[in-house]
Amino acid sequence: MPIKPKLRPFPSHFAWGFAAAAPQIEGAAYTDGKGPSVWDTFARIPGKVANGDTLDVACDHYHRYPEDLAMMAALGAKHYRLSIAWPRIFSRGHGEVNQKGIDFYNRLIDKALELGLTPWVTMYHWDTPQGIEDDFGGWRNRDTVKAFGVYADTIVKAFGDRVKHWITLNEIICFTRMSYGTGQRGPGLMLPEQVVNQTYHHAMMAHGEGVRAVRQHGGPGARVGLTDCSEAFIPLSETPADIEAARRVFVHENGRVLEPMYTGRYAPEFLASLGADAPHMEPGDLELISQATDFLGLNVYRGRFVRAGADGKPEILPFPPNYPAADAEWLTHTPQSIYWAPRMAAEIYGVESIAITENGAGYNDLPPVNGEVLDLHRRDYLRNYLRELQRAIDDGVPVDAYFLWSFMDNFEWADGYQRRFGVVYTNYETQERTPKASAKWYSQVMAANAIV
Ligand code: BGC
């Protein structure tokens, strides 16, 4: 008998696009008045980045953006999440505005719009100006929050006539705990827990400054949100007991970011668990942090499995060594993470609009053979995650946008250039771009507004 597969379309208003970030693709690290970022400095410390790779040239997007945007549009994307480099706008992060930096983003934004790409602009994707680190101590100091507020005002005033989707910060844990606690990311410090908690608090305040700037200067139709990598917890079985266990872990693990942002306070149990290491706060901080936003951005790559333990307490399960993962070892193949992270954010905090601001897979792809990169592993990863995203939407989870990380292979932080997340292959010697099999597949998905 003939089988008639059902077409399962995404909602008609669903936004499809690509995501990238300035420090990972632009290169031109010292061009036209751009000051160094903590990552430019960190990458020069031997042993910090694989193969001693730097951000100096990256994908040379600073010079090649017209062709890159044209390729994105040709693949069928209608939305593009980009970030602005703070040290391009203010060389030291504060002081004089660098007009050449403003000019560059004017050209980039105008080009995107001309090609039918709606820009979603992240104000900060980890590239703290080195001047902010040197002059104020970076995220350890409240003065950084003030400087960020001035920077946010500057870019919203400059681009707000054309940019209507703003993302304040990208993934707070990566420039707080991992930068000042574990030393894995620029500036690479290993400081006591109280300092780490303080950097989180200041980051949350900077988010508040970003929201304020958009409200004040964003003009009609401006929307603003935060992008978090809220940890995803997957109930081992979809039974009430395991779901409740996963939910409890989610609330605890998001105590530093989503909780204060949506409830206007740090949960008393959470603060109690920090004890003397709790952040120092001043009157007005929590009001700044908890201003209403318009959407929540979630970067979803992986989740951990949770079950209700014998004593009723949630139990986070370790992954066995043979659990499937990408070449980026942290990236376990856990498609249900993209179902549960947005569902819990919506159920627990009442979030009404969620954008998946990143999802993708990092492998050490081999160079093209006869013009082809058959990254079937990435296509499979994406397809499985999109199926779960679709299930979430069918169940009523309010996800209305998806940005694939990433358009092209780029500087993958401490993993350097060997680790490739792009659906377009970057040849770093010639700067040639070759769409991989996954790009062609994703292009069909965007065109059909359905999984193909
Ligand atoms: C970040 C990206 C990064 C990606 C893959 C996210 O945490 O926002 O900058 O390249 O994950 O590791």
Side-chain angles (χ1 to χ4, degrees), residues 19 27 48 86 94 138 156 174 198 222 232 248 272 377 381 384 426 429 447 451:
K48 295 298 184 192
W86 183 358
H94 58 108
V156 175
C174 296
Q198 199 64 50
R248 280 173 60 191
H377 40 298
Y381 171 100
N384 289 336
T426 306
E429 266 149 43
I451 295 169

Side-chain angles (χ1 to χ4, degrees), residues 22-31 34 40 55-63 88 417:
Q24 294 177 272
I25 60 170
E26 285 179 2
Y30 304 93
T31 304
K34 177 181 166 286
D40 291 313
L55 304 77
D56 293 6
V57 179
C59 307
D60 194 30
H61 180 71
Y62 189 79
H63 299 109
R88 239 185 241 299
Y417 293 106

Side-chain angles (χ1 to χ4, degrees), residues 64-85:
R64 292 166 196 267
Y65 71 89
E67 296 86 337
D68 288 338
L69 298 178
M71 189 183 274
M72 270 182 223
L75 287 169
K78 297 277 184 277
H79 298 262
Y80 174 37
R81 175 178 174 231
L82 61 113
S83 84
I84 292 183

Side-chain angles (χ1 to χ4, degrees), residues 193-194 197-198 200-201 204 251-257 259-260 263-282 286 289:
E193 188 61 16
Q194 200 286 328
N197 290 329
Q198 199 64 50
Y200 265 104
H201 184 67
M204 291 307 298
V251 169
H252 184 264
E253 295 289 318
N254 288 294
R256 285 182 173 78
V257 177
E259 190 75 15
T263 69
R265 54 157 214 177
Y266 291 99
E269 320 78 72
F270 173 72
L271 282 183
S273 75
L274 301 184
D277 292 333
H280 166 75
M281 290 179 246
E282 292 188 11
L286 286 162
I289 290 173

Side-chain angles (χ1 to χ4, degrees), residues 20-21 23-24 81 125-126 170-171 174 185 227 229 299 301 328 330-331 357-358 360-362 405-406 410-413 415 419 421:
Q24 294 177 272
R81 175 178 174 231
H125 200 121
W126 313 350
N170 181 70
E171 295 192 9
C174 296
R185 295 175 185 256
T227 276
C229 55
N299 290 354
Y301 288 91
W330 55 269
L331 214 172
T357 37
E358 286 181 33
W405 184 273
S406 187
N410 56 53
F411 178 79
E412 178 50 21
W413 307 111
D415 288 335
R419 187 82 80 240
F421 271 82

Side-chain angles (χ1 to χ4, degrees), residues 6 13 44 60 283 327 348 351 356 364 388 416 426 430 451:
K6 280 194 209 111
H13 62 269
R44 289 193 152 65
D60 194 30
D327 289 335
I348 298 169
V351 183
I356 302 297
N364 304 345
E388 285 290 331
T426 306
T430 61
I451 295 169

Side-chain angles (χ1 to χ4, degrees), residues 280-302:
H280 166 75
M281 290 179 246
E282 292 188 11
D285 288 0
L286 286 162
E287 285 75 16
L288 181 67
I289 290 173
S290 60
Q291 292 165 90
T293 49
D294 305 300
F295 65 92
L296 174 66
L298 291 177
N299 290 354
V300 183
Y301 288 91
R302 58 151 190 197

